[in-house]
Amino acid sequence: MTKKNVGIILLRPDRLTLTIQDENQKVVTQVRSGALRVGDELVANYLENMDAITTNLVGFQRVLKEYAVKEVACFGDLDDLDDVSAQYVADQIEVRVGLKLRWLNKNQLLAQTLAQTWPRFKHELGDQQLTGYVLCVGLSNSTLSYFNQGQFMNCWDIDLGKARINQLAENLRQTTATPSDIITDFISSKLEYLVPELSGQPAPVLLVQGVETLAQRYIQAPNVIAQVDMASFKQRFRRILSSSDQYIIHQYDVDEQSVDWVLPSYLVVRQTMRLLKARKLYVTSLDQPDGLLADYANKLPVNDLVRSAADKMAQRYGIDVYHKEFVTKVAMQLFDALKPIHRLNNHYRLLLELACKVDDIGNFINPQGHYRHSAYILEANPLIGISDVDNLIIAEVSRYHSSEAPEIDQHHFKELRSRLRLPIAQLAAILRVADSLDDSRQQKISEISLKLKGDRLLIKAKANDDLVLEKWAFLRKNKLFTQVYGLQPELIAKGAK
């Protein structure tokens, strides 16, 4: 029987990549386009590169036909592209070549790569769990993530992309012949604010992704991770610092555009090493297409990383762990019992779960109106691994989980896309009911069972204490539930004193 091949196309500001894998998730072939010219101000330059993009996609389609690929997914790196331009580019690609493009933000692409990085780190380095930092060097920005014993802990977005730093260098060359010292100071200024938060973290290991010249030098196939000798790295850095573009192109196999990004990449790595006082340096050749391939086959690693990120955010803002776990458990029960009514898919189930974990983070600012503060924090600190729309849904569900209910004349609710209003209301209604059942924050209810009876939802709760406060909160918060689902929830306590 012929193996079923799958094709993944990724459009990035600097090039397109086609990767084909078989049913065993083994890469059959990978094709890269020529360089796309990045913008002088905004890195994403898709509009001006539209003809080159479609020409390469037509070529990819010929390759897909040769490998008898029937299943194709096309993704795009949203980068700093605005919504209107993104929609135009997607429409043009669909009209010209018939491919539907799905845009991914930097957090989604990062999560998909990270979800593959830490398991491979353990596999290739003799069961050594990753405790340290992963630096992903991008075009417009970079990200620094921290893992402890293979568990994702936190992530920071840094305004340090290799293309952006090169743009700064080009400007500085107008006024100084040796801009590297000024660029070094610029990089340090972007990293120094992290020092207080990063100080005291164990085992300063730094794993670098997105620096191809490092990966090509130190990684031997089929491995995707290798340790970099510190003395060797410093020697290569000094050589690059004093070399001409022609020498770097010849020695490091880069094109005429990306040669300008080699030195900025090394500068970012060197300054990050100094900041973290890194004792060990590793490099990985895993890239965004690798993460997309794995995520396309199995989303569980990325979803687990997203859950971990939500838990760590809750911990950082001092959320009551036991209340969070109770609300999450009950909300999941309610979601599953109501599936025939709300007809939302499992992705919305994940979004509700995430909202349950972070809905109370606003208490860190002020318990008064904490639900609004929760929404503000989530808008400013989007969760890694999910889309901008998904982050918006979580923020709005958190906004409406307590005292405030979504009304059409409210500013925030009115400005939501019409297709999002009902799902947000449905999820918020479930969360309000679940939250009310632990209003005392004492987990008096040890078990609940649910039963639909006509236009009533019977919630039978096994309690170990008086539920006077919970019953009051339940009556106060269930009005939205009735409006959304057309059901009257009833709380029936068993075992209460």
Side-chain angles (χ1 to χ4, degrees), residues 337-349:
L338 294 166
K339 264 189 175 182
I341 300 174
H342 60 59
R343 292 180 290 183
L344 297 174
N345 60 28
N346 283 336
H347 183 68
Y348 279 103
R349 190 181 193 276

Side-chain angles (χ1 to χ4, degrees), residues 162-163 165-180 182-183 240-241 243-245 248 259-264 267:
K162 47 195 173 187
I165 295 174
N166 179 63
Q167 291 169 354
L168 172 65
E170 289 296 324
N171 293 330
L172 290 174
R173 286 191 181 97
Q174 308 297 322
T175 57
T176 177
T178 56
S180 59
I182 301 176
I183 294 173
I240 289 171
L241 194 61
S243 297
S244 65
D245 287 352
I248 295 174
V259 66
D260 294 327
W261 305 337
V262 174
L263 178 57
L267 284 168

Side-chain angles (χ1 to χ4, degrees), residues 297-314:
N298 178 13
K299 293 183 179 295
L300 292 178
V302 172
N303 288 348
D304 288 344
L305 190 146
V306 176
R307 290 186 180 96
S308 179
D311 284 331
K312 297 307 173 186
M313 177 181 283

Side-chain angles (χ1 to χ4, degrees), residues 359-386:
D359 64 335
D360 280 339
I361 59 177
N363 282 314
F364 184 85
I365 297 176
N366 193 336
Q368 185 70 27
H370 73 280
Y371 45 90
R372 296 192 192 102
H373 302 316
S374 294
Y376 300 153
I377 293 172
L378 290 164
E379 288 166 359
N381 299 274
L383 288 169
I384 187 174
I386 56 177

